[in-house]
């Protein structure tokens, strides 16, 4: 069994939020939509980023042409381009192709729209800059003398209404999650079709639900979790307890009695499953003893989770039990 590498969850807000942007940029090219048709968030963000990268200057006349078409280079033209609308709408007419959503449900590619009290403007939401979700990061083109850019609104939503494009396909995977999903075979993979859009996970990552599992992303990588291992993960407080997966599920070794199963490492533990034993987690000092002593090739598969015993902990495997207490460390007894 491979050695377990325990990696700490990064809790500093700035590095984490900077890393979140990778989800939207490090992706295969999004599938091309039709004008005014269904479009995925990945394509919206790709299209929006093109104007930021090309530093398109603000103007209320003419159009700016690139591989995504020719659109008026003002705030509403920018959003029209990002959503692949058939023409450049205005801040007033964008209300007709969108619907209200709660601020708590803002996702990449949604809009922040306002045309009241002297403010006529729209911007695309990218992510939140703070854990309290009070400072949105947006992509926008907003005034003469400025170019399209991504920036933080430090003073919050300031009267802007969260809106979602009517034909935005929330289920279409994008970014690092899409790359993982595609690498597994997409619709033909063990995961099956998506059943929910990508959303914030606990502890600073992102995840998307599929019929048979999830793909969960953290700044290091995206991995799939499914089947009995996923059920155990969810039942034991998920990433708040175990951190993020550090690999995909894989075949484990053969136990002395012939048992074979599967395993998956997370930041804070090893999940092991077999048809005979079910799914159990090995972690901490007991994991270290399990790994050093020959893992499942010697001990067999775990038949229970770690539990309390007088003065310490114990975990039972098919062929032996591993004990631990702070004075003696770990030792093994026959079952």
């Amino acid at each position: 069994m491979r050695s377990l590498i325990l990696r700490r969850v990064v809790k500093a807000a700035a590095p984490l939020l900077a890393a979140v942007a990778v989800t939207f940029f490090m992706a295969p090219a999004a599938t091309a939509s039709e004008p005014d048709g269904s479009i995925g968030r990945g394509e919206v963000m790709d299209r929006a980023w093109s104007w930021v990268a090309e530093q398109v200057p603000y103007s209320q006349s003419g159009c700016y042409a690139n591989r995504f078409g020719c659109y008026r280079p003002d705030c509403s033209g920018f959003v029209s381009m990002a959503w692949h609308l058939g023409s450049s709408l205005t801040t007033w007419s964008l209300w007709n192709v969108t619907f209200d959503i709660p601020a708590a449900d803002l996702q990449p590619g949604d809009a922040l729209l306002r045309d009241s009290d002297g403010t006529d403007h729209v911007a695309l939401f990218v992510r939140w800059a703070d854990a309290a979700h009070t400072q949105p990061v947006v992509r926008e083109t907003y005034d003469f003398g400025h170019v399209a850019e991504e920036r933080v609104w430090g003073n919050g939503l300031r009267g802007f209404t969260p809106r979602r494009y009517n034909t935005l396909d929330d289920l279409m995977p994008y970014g690092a999650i899409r790359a993982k999903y595609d690498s597994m075979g997409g619709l033909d993979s063990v995961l099956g079709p998506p059943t929910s859009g990508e959303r914030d996970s606990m502890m600073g990552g992102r995840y998307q639900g599929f019929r048979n599992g999830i793909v969960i992303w953290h700044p290091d990588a995206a991995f799939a979790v499914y089947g009995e291992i996923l059920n155990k993960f969810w039942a034991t407080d998920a990433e708040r307890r175990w951190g993020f997966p550090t690999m995909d599920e894989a075949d484990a070794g053969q136990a002395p009695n012939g048992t074979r199963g599967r395993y998956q490492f997370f930041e804070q533990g090893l999940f092991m499953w077999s048809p005979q034993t079910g799914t159990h987690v090995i972690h901490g000092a007991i994991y270290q003893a399990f790994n050093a002593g020959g893992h499942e090739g010697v001990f067999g598969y775990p038949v229970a989770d770690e539990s309390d015993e007088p003065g310490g902990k114990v975990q039972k495997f098919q062929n032996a039990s591993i004990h631990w207490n702070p004075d003696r460390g770990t030792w093994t007894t026959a079952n």
Side-chain angles (χ1 to χ4, degrees):
M1 183 63 66
R2 297 113 179 117
S3 295
L4 177 60
I5 301 173
L6 299 181
R7 297 178 297 178
R8 293 183 179 178
V9 177
V10 179
K11 294 183 179 178
L16 176 59
L17 290 165
V20 169
V22 178
T23 302
F24 313 126
F25 305 146
M26 295 181 63
T31 304
S33 60
E34 296 294 328
D36 293 321
S38 179
I39 187 170
R41 295 189 186 278
E43 186 179 354
V44 171
M45 300 311 286
D46 285 348
R47 293 173 68 95
W49 182 250
S50 73
W51 277 26
V52 175
E54 294 163 24
Q55 297 191 304
V56 178
Y58 180 92
S59 176
Q60 293 181 345
S61 61
C63 71
Y64 179 80
N66 68 4
R67 68 189 185 279
F68 295 128
C70 195
Y71 291 84
R72 188 180 61 251
D74 61 3
C75 65
S76 52
F78 171 68
V79 171
S80 299
M81 180 276 300
W83 287 344
H84 201 176
L85 302 186
S87 62
S88 299
L89 300 189
T90 66
T91 50
W92 307 288
S93 54
L94 282 174
W95 293 95
N96 299 327
V97 298
T98 60
F99 60 92
D100 275 355
I101 58 172
D105 194 32
L106 275 166
Q107 300 296 326
D110 291 333
L112 294 170
L113 179 60
R114 181 177 175 182
D115 60 1
S116 61
D117 298 326
T119 298
D120 297 307
H121 186 54
V122 64
L124 279 181
F125 179 82
V126 179
R127 62 186 182 276
W128 294 104
D130 61 325
H133 290 188
T134 63
Q135 299 179 13
V137 178
V138 301
R139 291 179 187 166
E140 61 181 339
T141 178
Y142 59 93
D143 202 357
F144 293 100
H146 294 269
V147 298
E149 65 177 280
E150 180 174 307
R151 63 176 183 159
V152 177
W153 283 3
N155 51 355
L157 297 185
R158 51 197 174 92
F160 281 74
T161 302
R163 302 282 289 183
R164 182 163 295 160
Y165 177 42
N166 288 341
T167 60
L168 192 144
D169 185 349
D170 187 50
L171 296 183
M172 187 179 296
Y174 62 97
I177 288 178
R178 181 192 165 199
K180 168 57 69 174
Y181 184 58
D182 286 352
S183 74
M184 296 177 66
L187 290 172
D188 296 325
S189 72
V190 66
L191 294 173
T195 56
S196 67
E198 181 178 316
R199 295 294 186 270
D200 289 335
S201 71
M202 298 177 289
M203 308 304 293
R206 299 276 288 179
Y207 78 99
Q208 184 164 4
F210 298 84
R211 184 174 61 197
N212 301 318
I214 64 171
V215 174
I216 188 166
W217 172 88
H218 195 241
D220 290 328
F223 296 104
V225 191
Y226 53 89
E228 293 302 318
I229 289 179
L230 177 60
N231 291 340
K232 185 71 171 183
F233 181 64
W234 274 338
T236 53
D237 210 19
E239 65 266 33
R240 277 188 295 218
R241 177 66 182 88
W242 305 113
F244 292 86
T246 61
M247 60 173 288
D248 290 322
E249 181 180 311
D251 288 331
Q254 181 173 302
N257 68 355
T259 299
R260 287 186 176 275
R262 304 277 285 175
Y263 76 99
Q264 188 167 12
F265 277 116
F266 292 75
E267 291 174 306
Q268 303 297 333
L270 166 65
F271 283 59
M272 295 197 74
W273 168 88
S274 77
Q276 296 88 342
T277 61
T279 307
H280 302 286
V281 188
I282 316 168
H283 61 100
I286 288 178
Y287 167 78
Q288 298 298 333
F290 173 75
N291 186 58
H295 39 84
E296 67 269 28
V298 172
F299 294 99
Y301 286 74
V303 297
D305 291 331
E306 178 183 285
S307 61
D308 293 332
E309 66 175 5
K313 300 285 186 179
V314 63
Q315 187 162 12
K316 186 176 181 179
F317 296 80
Q318 288 175 305
N319 288 352
S321 294
I322 300 176
H323 307 257
W324 170 88
N325 71 40
D327 298 324
R328 187 175 174 183
T330 57
W331 71 97
T332 304
T333 60
N335 289 339

